[in-house]
Amino acid sequence: MTARVRFLLLASAAVLTLAACNRDREPAADGATPAAPGAAVTPAAAAAPLTFSEKTAFATVSLKLPDGIKAQPDLHAKVYAQEVAHLREFAEGAQADNTEAGAPNLAYEQTVELVAAHETGKLMSLKRTAFEFTGGAHPNTVMTGVLWDKALKRQVGWAEIFTKGADFGALDRALCAAINAAKRARVPDAEPVALGGKDWACPRASATPFVLAPGTTGGKAGGLTFLIGPYQVGPYAEGPYEVTVPLSAFQSLLAPAYADEFAGSPVKAAATPTP
C-alpha cells in the first residue's frame, strides 16, 4: 500500500465516522460514536477544551467546538478525543505522503468545526463541517450531523429516530423535491435531479446526514435539515446544500421514543446561500 493510499484511507475515515450514525444500517451499528483509541471516557476526561490546533511542516489541523457542548460532558469528551485523534492521524498521513513522494513539501490542511443546530428536551443536534485540502484543483468539504440523547448519554441516529421497517419512499421524494427547489433558487437553469439519476441523483434520505431543524413550537424540532455535500447533486461550483424537510413529510414514520421531540413546522425551510 502506497503512502498516498494509506493517507486517503485515514482521511476518509476521519470525515465519515460521525456521519455513520445518520445512515440506515445493520443493528450492530447502533450509531454511537466510537470512543477514541484507548480507554473509555472518564469524568476527568470530560473537562475537554473547545479548541485544538497543531501545525507541522506537512499539515495544519484545527478543531472548534460550540460552547453549548459543555452542558453534555460525555459528548464533549468523546467528540474532542475522537476528533483530535483523527486530526493527528491526518497530520501523520500528510508527513508520510510527502516523505515518500520525495517532492517539495505540500502543506495539507484539515479544519473541523461543530456548531449547534437545534436542541429539544431529549436531543442535542450538532452540525459538523470538515474542510480538507490535500492538493488538487480545490479543497473538499464534508458535512455530517451529530445527534445526542441527553438522558441516555449516547449518540443516536436514523435507526433510533425512525420506526424500523418503515417505508421511506415519500420522505425520499420530499427530500428530492426540496433539493430541486434549492437548486433552482441558486442556479435558475440548473438541471433537475431525480432518484436514480445517471449523472447527478437525489440521495435517499436514510443515507443522508441530517440535523434537527428549529420549529415553530418551542423546545421541539419542526423538521430535519439534510446536509448535501458538493458533487452530490450537481457540479462542484454549485457548492453544498442544506435543505429542510418539514415534519409533515415524515411524522408518521417517527419511532414512539422520539416522536414527541417534533412538533409544528420548520422556522424556515431554505437552502444555504450561494457560496
Side-chain angles (χ1 to χ4, degrees), residues 5-254:
V5 173
R6 181 173 61 254
F7 165 73
L8 289 173
L9 290 174
L10 289 171
S12 297
V15 298
L16 292 176
T17 300
L18 285 175
C21 76
N22 282 342
R23 297 173 185 245
D24 197 9
R25 56 203 179 277
E26 296 298 324
D30 64 3
T33 305
V41 174
T42 65
L50 292 175
T51 61
F52 169 82
S53 63
E54 194 168 85
K55 184 175 182 178
T56 70
F58 305 97
T60 298
V61 297
S62 66
L63 169 69
K64 183 177 180 181
L65 302 176
D67 187 71
I69 201 173
K70 292 188 293 187
Q72 301 298 321
D74 294 304
L75 173 63
H76 186 186
K78 179 177 287 189
V79 168
Y80 182 85
Q82 178 178 290
E83 295 290 359
V84 168
H86 285 320
L87 288 170
R88 285 176 169 158
E89 287 177 350
F90 177 89
E92 291 170 3
Q95 180 173 354
D97 197 44
N98 278 273
T99 300
E100 183 169 304
N105 293 342
L106 173 62
Y108 293 166
E109 179 182 358
Q110 187 174 96
T111 62
V112 176
E113 181 176 9
L114 282 81
V115 299
H118 187 55
E119 187 170 352
T120 68
K122 293 180 181 177
L123 298 169
M124 172 179 279
S125 179
L126 305 173
K127 184 180 77 171
R128 177 186 184 273
T129 303
F131 168 92
E132 179 181 302
F133 177 73
T134 59
H138 50 71
N140 189 36
T141 301
V142 175
M143 298 183 297
T144 53
V146 179
L147 195 58
W148 182 258
D149 187 308
K150 296 183 287 186
L152 298 179
K153 300 185 186 302
R154 70 181 182 93
Q155 198 166 329
V156 296
W158 191 272
E160 293 81 15
I161 297 299
F162 288 99
T163 302
K164 185 177 180 179
D167 181 359
F168 297 110
L171 178 53
D172 289 338
R173 292 188 291 274
L175 173 59
C176 194
I179 289 171
N180 279 308
K183 284 171 65 70
R184 288 192 300 272
R186 184 176 296 179
V187 184
D189 59 350
E191 189 71 21
V193 290
L195 290 164
K198 292 183 178 180
D199 296 325
W200 311 112
C202 287
R204 297 289 178 181
S206 61
T208 306
F210 66 86
V211 294
L212 299 180
T216 53
T217 301
K220 305 292 183 179
L224 295 177
T225 297
F226 290 88
L227 310 173
I228 315 293
Y231 278 139
Q232 282 193 264
V233 295
Y236 182 84
E238 282 190 23
Y241 287 95
E242 298 180 28
V243 295
T244 299
V245 175
L247 171 61
S248 57
F250 59 84
Q251 189 165 20
S252 63
L253 307 174
L254 291 167

